[in-house]
Amino acid sequence: MIHQEYIYELPMKVRDYECDFQGIVNNSVYQNYLEHTRHEFIMTRNVNIMELHNRGIDVVVARIDIAYKSPLHGGDEFLSKLYISKEGLRYVFFQDIYRKADNALCIKARVDCVALVNGKLKNCDELDKTFF
Amino acid sequence: MIHQEYIYELPMKVRDYECDFQGIVNNSVYQNYLEHTRHEFIMTRNVNIMELHNRGIDVVVARIDIAYKSPLHGGDEFLSKLYISKEGLRYVFFQDIYRKADNALCIKARVDCVALVNGKLKNCDELDKTFF
Amino acid sequence: MIHQEYIYELPMKVRDYECDFQGIVNNSVYQNYLEHTRHEFIMTRNVNIMELHNRGIDVVVARIDIAYKSPLHGGDEFLSKLYISKEGLRYVFFQDIYRKADNALCIKARVDCVALVNGKLKNCDELDKTFF
Amino acid sequence: MIHQEYIYELPMKVRDYECDFQGIVNNSVYQNYLEHTRHEFIMTRNVNIMELHNRGIDVVVARIDIAYKSPLHGGDEFLSKLYISKEGLRYVFFQDIYRKADNALCIKARVDCVALVNGKLKNCDELDKTFF
């Protein structure tokens, strides 16, 4: 299998309030990181998710699969990277997060999104042009 | 395949601050619901996750897979249900959320957890007795 | 000064993910509790905050003042209580949270809200009738 | 009264998941911004809040007073600024947030913190040296 290359990466830093009683980033917070990364990526294509929403186009997560490899701690800097492929109606975001200090893989995620146009599952040319 | 029965269910209700700009519960919040359900379930077995942590035993999520079926809205009441199986060192929580009003399946999740005893991946008799 | 009586109380329970690395509920989370309590209170008056929003009426927090008295821990049950007064255009919610186990006062808050009708600060008869 | 000058400012950006159903940053999220700003400020003094905690020193919020002036929206860039004074045992953080696009004041906050040393309210020389 040929390894596909990341097309976008976002540098981020853990905020202490994102850590739970175990002193590490709470599992659910990684979904916040992943969503923010997708939205920032989409902004680089001059598309604004909230503005799309106001026009009746929603990019909705249909499935998410996250493998937790190594936890992030308060103050850790990290890189959130992604690449995309299309499978049928699904935009599949492959999103990985690496700790900056040692380049350790923290999570490996696959996020399947679909477009809802006025609430209906549809192919969306505008998104196709945005992502590819 | 024989359908396994839920062994625990927790009634919950969406809080408006959990909804995002799309007016529906943000995807990451379901992980909060799932975690809270696991912890409440474990409490019914007289085990406290935070007390375990203080004794060096952490139940850690290794992988999570969530299929989003139907969104919850502000104020919706729902039932968060689970059953467990063990696969090797993994405690696998099958966790589904149903909207109360129409019994619609909202998410279908599989959460693989492992025990870390003093930071080391180990089989943990205490957890075996707790869960089964 | 005559002590005003609470007109509403909501029983709640700390969820472990709401605790931060200090093992206590993070300060910001109490605002979530307070907001949820206000919205639940308003629901008892058959008014839905999200439905009001869709009709152009927003109840917006203008100021919040919280005194933190005693921290809540994971799993703690508590009562979130409130009473209201009106000062000019402001609906002032006095909101206090008590730990259930020992009736200790956890936070004492004053939340000043105003009505925005189609984005304009206004007196709102509908809210007056709802709250008083 | 002589206006005191800010001694620290942190550039930040709204993440879409921080916005609620009204399409603006939820009130509670500003407390996250304020906490993160304090911790980042303290880091510039080579002190780490989580490391202090492990040595038995906790900086705890005793009171918070936030005036909400102008809401932040998804994607907005902003500057989170602060200065400090000491009043008795209290470290008082004056923290204001300005939208970057138009320099509008978004919130004006006063956060009273105290030091707990091994759980006891105390003056803490180490923090005095850190903050002043």
Side-chain angles (χ1 to χ4, degrees), chain D residues 50-71:
Chain D
M50 290 180 87
E51 185 269 333
L52 278 184
H53 170 70
N54 293 334
R55 283 197 288 120
I57 302 172
D58 281 304
V59 185
V60 169
V61 174
R63 181 163 203 149
I64 194 161
D65 183 2
I66 305 174
Y68 294 92
K69 301 294 192 182
S70 179

mmCIF file of all heavy atoms in Angstrom, chain D residues 50-71:
data_model
loop_
_atom_site.group_PDB
_atom_site.id
_atom_site.type_symbol
_atom_site.label_atom_id
_atom_site.label_comp_id
_atom_site.label_asym_id
_atom_site.label_seq_id
_atom_site.Cartn_x
_atom_site.Cartn_y
_atom_site.Cartn_z
ATOM 1 N N MET D 50 0.605 22.925 36.723
ATOM 2 C CA MET D 50 0.391 21.504 37.031
ATOM 3 C C MET D 50 1.541 20.965 37.882
ATOM 4 O O MET D 50 1.323 20.095 38.724
ATOM 5 C CB MET D 50 0.202 20.710 35.738
ATOM 6 C CG MET D 50 -1.138 21.044 35.055
ATOM 7 S SD MET D 50 -1.431 20.132 33.510
ATOM 8 C CE MET D 50 -2.192 18.635 34.169
ATOM 9 N N GLU D 51 2.721 21.496 37.681
ATOM 10 C CA GLU D 51 3.872 21.062 38.486
ATOM 11 C C GLU D 51 3.729 21.623 39.905
ATOM 12 O O GLU D 51 4.040 20.932 40.892
ATOM 13 C CB GLU D 51 5.165 21.553 37.784
ATOM 14 C CG GLU D 51 6.474 21.106 38.405
ATOM 15 C CD GLU D 51 6.979 22.118 39.426
ATOM 16 O OE1 GLU D 51 6.647 23.332 39.293
ATOM 17 O OE2 GLU D 51 7.692 21.705 40.360
ATOM 18 N N LEU D 52 3.257 22.870 40.041
ATOM 19 C CA LEU D 52 2.968 23.447 41.366
ATOM 20 C C LEU D 52 1.981 22.545 42.114
ATOM 21 O O LEU D 52 2.168 22.242 43.297
ATOM 22 C CB LEU D 52 2.319 24.833 41.235
ATOM 23 C CG LEU D 52 3.195 26.071 41.012
ATOM 24 C CD1 LEU D 52 2.314 27.323 41.020
ATOM 25 C CD2 LEU D 52 4.289 26.197 42.061
ATOM 26 N N HIS D 53 0.924 22.146 41.398
ATOM 27 C CA HIS D 53 -0.109 21.290 41.992
ATOM 28 C C HIS D 53 0.510 20.013 42.567
ATOM 29 O O HIS D 53 0.170 19.587 43.678
ATOM 30 C CB HIS D 53 -1.150 20.947 40.925
ATOM 31 C CG HIS D 53 -2.127 19.888 41.326
ATOM 32 N ND1 HIS D 53 -3.095 20.087 42.273
ATOM 33 C CD2 HIS D 53 -2.271 18.585 40.916
ATOM 34 C CE1 HIS D 53 -3.814 18.989 42.422
ATOM 35 N NE2 HIS D 53 -3.330 18.071 41.612
ATOM 36 N N ASN D 54 1.447 19.430 41.824
ATOM 37 C CA ASN D 54 2.083 18.192 42.294
ATOM 38 C C ASN D 54 2.959 18.425 43.524
ATOM 39 O O ASN D 54 3.295 17.490 44.247
ATOM 40 C CB ASN D 54 2.895 17.551 41.160
ATOM 41 C CG ASN D 54 1.978 17.055 40.039
ATOM 42 O OD1 ASN D 54 0.804 16.745 40.274
ATOM 43 N ND2 ASN D 54 2.488 17.010 38.825
ATOM 44 N N ARG D 55 3.348 19.706 43.764
ATOM 45 C CA ARG D 55 4.145 20.025 44.956
ATOM 46 C C ARG D 55 3.241 20.559 46.072
ATOM 47 O O ARG D 55 3.738 21.079 47.072
ATOM 48 C CB ARG D 55 5.209 21.074 44.608
ATOM 49 C CG ARG D 55 6.388 20.460 43.849
ATOM 50 C CD ARG D 55 7.596 21.358 43.875
ATOM 51 N NE ARG D 55 7.427 22.539 43.034
ATOM 52 C CZ ARG D 55 7.470 23.790 43.461
ATOM 53 N NH1 ARG D 55 7.684 24.065 44.738
ATOM 54 N NH2 ARG D 55 7.322 24.789 42.621
ATOM 55 N N GLY D 56 1.915 20.475 45.891
ATOM 56 C CA GLY D 56 1.017 20.864 46.983
ATOM 57 C C GLY D 56 0.574 22.317 46.967
ATOM 58 O O GLY D 56 -0.086 22.781 47.889
ATOM 59 N N ILE D 57 0.938 23.052 45.908
ATOM 60 C CA ILE D 57 0.525 24.460 45.808
ATOM 61 C C ILE D 57 -0.543 24.598 44.726
ATOM 62 O O ILE D 57 -0.294 24.302 43.557
ATOM 63 C CB ILE D 57 1.722 25.383 45.472
ATOM 64 C CG1 ILE D 57 2.818 25.242 46.530
ATOM 65 C CG2 ILE D 57 1.261 26.838 45.352
ATOM 66 C CD1 ILE D 57 4.113 25.975 46.179
ATOM 67 N N ASP D 58 -1.728 25.036 45.133
ATOM 68 C CA ASP D 58 -2.788 25.250 44.146
ATOM 69 C C ASP D 58 -3.178 26.718 44.093
ATOM 70 O O ASP D 58 -3.355 27.367 45.118
ATOM 71 C CB ASP D 58 -4.012 24.400 44.493
ATOM 72 C CG ASP D 58 -3.836 22.941 44.082
ATOM 73 O OD1 ASP D 58 -3.579 22.702 42.891
ATOM 74 O OD2 ASP D 58 -3.947 22.060 44.949
ATOM 75 N N VAL D 59 -3.267 27.241 42.879
ATOM 76 C CA VAL D 59 -3.791 28.585 42.674
ATOM 77 C C VAL D 59 -5.275 28.398 42.355
ATOM 78 O O VAL D 59 -5.622 27.789 41.344
ATOM 79 C CB VAL D 59 -3.072 29.304 41.522
ATOM 80 C CG1 VAL D 59 -3.559 30.739 41.405
ATOM 81 C CG2 VAL D 59 -1.565 29.268 41.734
ATOM 82 N N VAL D 60 -6.117 28.891 43.234
ATOM 83 C CA VAL D 60 -7.540 28.579 43.169
ATOM 84 C C VAL D 60 -8.326 29.871 42.950
ATOM 85 O O VAL D 60 -8.017 30.903 43.540
ATOM 86 C CB VAL D 60 -7.968 27.912 44.498
ATOM 87 C CG1 VAL D 60 -9.477 27.802 44.593
ATOM 88 C CG2 VAL D 60 -7.326 26.547 44.635
ATOM 89 N N VAL D 61 -9.335 29.792 42.082
ATOM 90 C CA VAL D 61 -10.194 30.951 41.851
ATOM 91 C C VAL D 61 -11.196 31.073 43.003
ATOM 92 O O VAL D 61 -11.952 30.138 43.281
ATOM 93 C CB VAL D 61 -10.946 30.830 40.513
ATOM 94 C CG1 VAL D 61 -11.938 31.972 40.350
ATOM 95 C CG2 VAL D 61 -9.954 30.823 39.356
ATOM 96 N N ALA D 62 -11.191 32.221 43.669
ATOM 97 C CA ALA D 62 -12.120 32.458 44.779
ATOM 98 C C ALA D 62 -13.364 33.193 44.284
ATOM 99 O O ALA D 62 -14.458 33.036 44.825
ATOM 100 C CB ALA D 62 -11.438 33.270 45.867
ATOM 101 N N ARG D 63 -13.147 34.013 43.265
ATOM 102 C CA ARG D 63 -14.287 34.792 42.753
ATOM 103 C C ARG D 63 -14.013 35.195 41.306
ATOM 104 O O ARG D 63 -12.874 35.478 40.937
ATOM 105 C CB ARG D 63 -14.460 36.045 43.608
ATOM 106 C CG ARG D 63 -15.629 36.910 43.172
ATOM 107 C CD ARG D 63 -16.038 37.899 44.246
ATOM 108 N NE ARG D 63 -17.409 38.311 44.053
ATOM 109 C CZ ARG D 63 -18.238 38.661 45.021
ATOM 110 N NH1 ARG D 63 -17.841 38.655 46.257
ATOM 111 N NH2 ARG D 63 -19.484 39.007 44.743
ATOM 112 N N ILE D 64 -15.068 35.240 40.513
ATOM 113 C CA ILE D 64 -14.904 35.711 39.138
ATOM 114 C C ILE D 64 -16.066 36.634 38.807
ATOM 115 O O ILE D 64 -17.208 36.397 39.212
ATOM 116 C CB ILE D 64 -14.805 34.529 38.138
ATOM 117 C CG1 ILE D 64 -14.302 35.023 36.793
ATOM 118 C CG2 ILE D 64 -16.135 33.801 38.007
ATOM 119 C CD1 ILE D 64 -13.746 33.923 35.922
ATOM 120 N N ASP D 65 -15.740 37.717 38.134
ATOM 121 C CA ASP D 65 -16.751 38.705 37.759
ATOM 122 C C ASP D 65 -16.480 39.055 36.298
ATOM 123 O O ASP D 65 -15.417 39.570 35.953
ATOM 124 C CB ASP D 65 -16.588 39.941 38.667
ATOM 125 C CG ASP D 65 -17.649 41.007 38.396
ATOM 126 O OD1 ASP D 65 -18.524 40.785 37.543
ATOM 127 O OD2 ASP D 65 -17.585 42.069 39.048
ATOM 128 N N ILE D 66 -17.420 38.702 35.436
ATOM 129 C CA ILE D 66 -17.228 38.920 34.001
ATOM 130 C C ILE D 66 -18.355 39.787 33.458
ATOM 131 O O ILE D 66 -19.529 39.460 33.631
ATOM 132 C CB ILE D 66 -17.236 37.595 33.197
ATOM 133 C CG1 ILE D 66 -16.211 36.612 33.751
ATOM 134 C CG2 ILE D 66 -16.985 37.862 31.717
ATOM 135 C CD1 ILE D 66 -16.278 35.226 33.083
ATOM 136 N N ALA D 67 -17.992 40.884 32.800
ATOM 137 C CA ALA D 67 -18.981 41.677 32.072
ATOM 138 C C ALA D 67 -18.852 41.327 30.594
ATOM 139 O O ALA D 67 -17.762 41.429 30.014
ATOM 140 C CB ALA D 67 -18.740 43.167 32.303
ATOM 141 N N TYR D 68 -19.962 40.873 30.031
ATOM 142 C CA TYR D 68 -19.978 40.496 28.622
ATOM 143 C C TYR D 68 -20.376 41.704 27.789
ATOM 144 O O TYR D 68 -21.487 42.221 27.930
ATOM 145 C CB TYR D 68 -20.958 39.340 28.403
ATOM 146 C CG TYR D 68 -20.526 38.066 29.092
ATOM 147 C CD1 TYR D 68 -20.960 37.758 30.376
ATOM 148 C CD2 TYR D 68 -19.651 37.186 28.470
ATOM 149 C CE1 TYR D 68 -20.551 36.589 31.021
ATOM 150 C CE2 TYR D 68 -19.232 36.010 29.106
ATOM 151 C CZ TYR D 68 -19.694 35.732 30.376
ATOM 152 O OH TYR D 68 -19.283 34.578 31.007
ATOM 153 N N LYS D 69 -19.485 42.157 26.918
ATOM 154 C CA LYS D 69 -19.701 43.397 26.173
ATOM 155 C C LYS D 69 -20.117 43.158 24.726
ATOM 156 O O LYS D 69 -21.013 43.787 24.202
ATOM 157 C CB LYS D 69 -18.407 44.225 26.178
ATOM 158 C CG LYS D 69 -17.902 44.601 27.578
ATOM 159 C CD LYS D 69 -18.850 45.537 28.277
ATOM 160 C CE LYS D 69 -18.249 46.156 29.532
ATOM 161 N NZ LYS D 69 -19.201 47.033 30.212
ATOM 162 N N SER D 70 -19.397 42.271 24.058
ATOM 163 C CA SER D 70 -19.647 42.049 22.634
ATOM 164 C C SER D 70 -19.245 40.608 22.323
ATOM 165 O O SER D 70 -18.141 40.185 22.672
ATOM 166 C CB SER D 70 -18.803 43.046 21.825
ATOM 167 O OG SER D 70 -19.004 42.847 20.459
ATOM 168 N N PRO D 71 -20.140 39.840 21.691
ATOM 169 C CA PRO D 71 -19.877 38.410 21.535
ATOM 170 C C PRO D 71 -18.837 38.090 20.462
ATOM 171 O O PRO D 71 -18.737 38.793 19.452
ATOM 172 C CB PRO D 71 -21.243 37.851 21.126
ATOM 173 C CG PRO D 71 -21.951 38.976 20.470
ATOM 174 C CD PRO D 71 -21.461 40.235 21.126
#
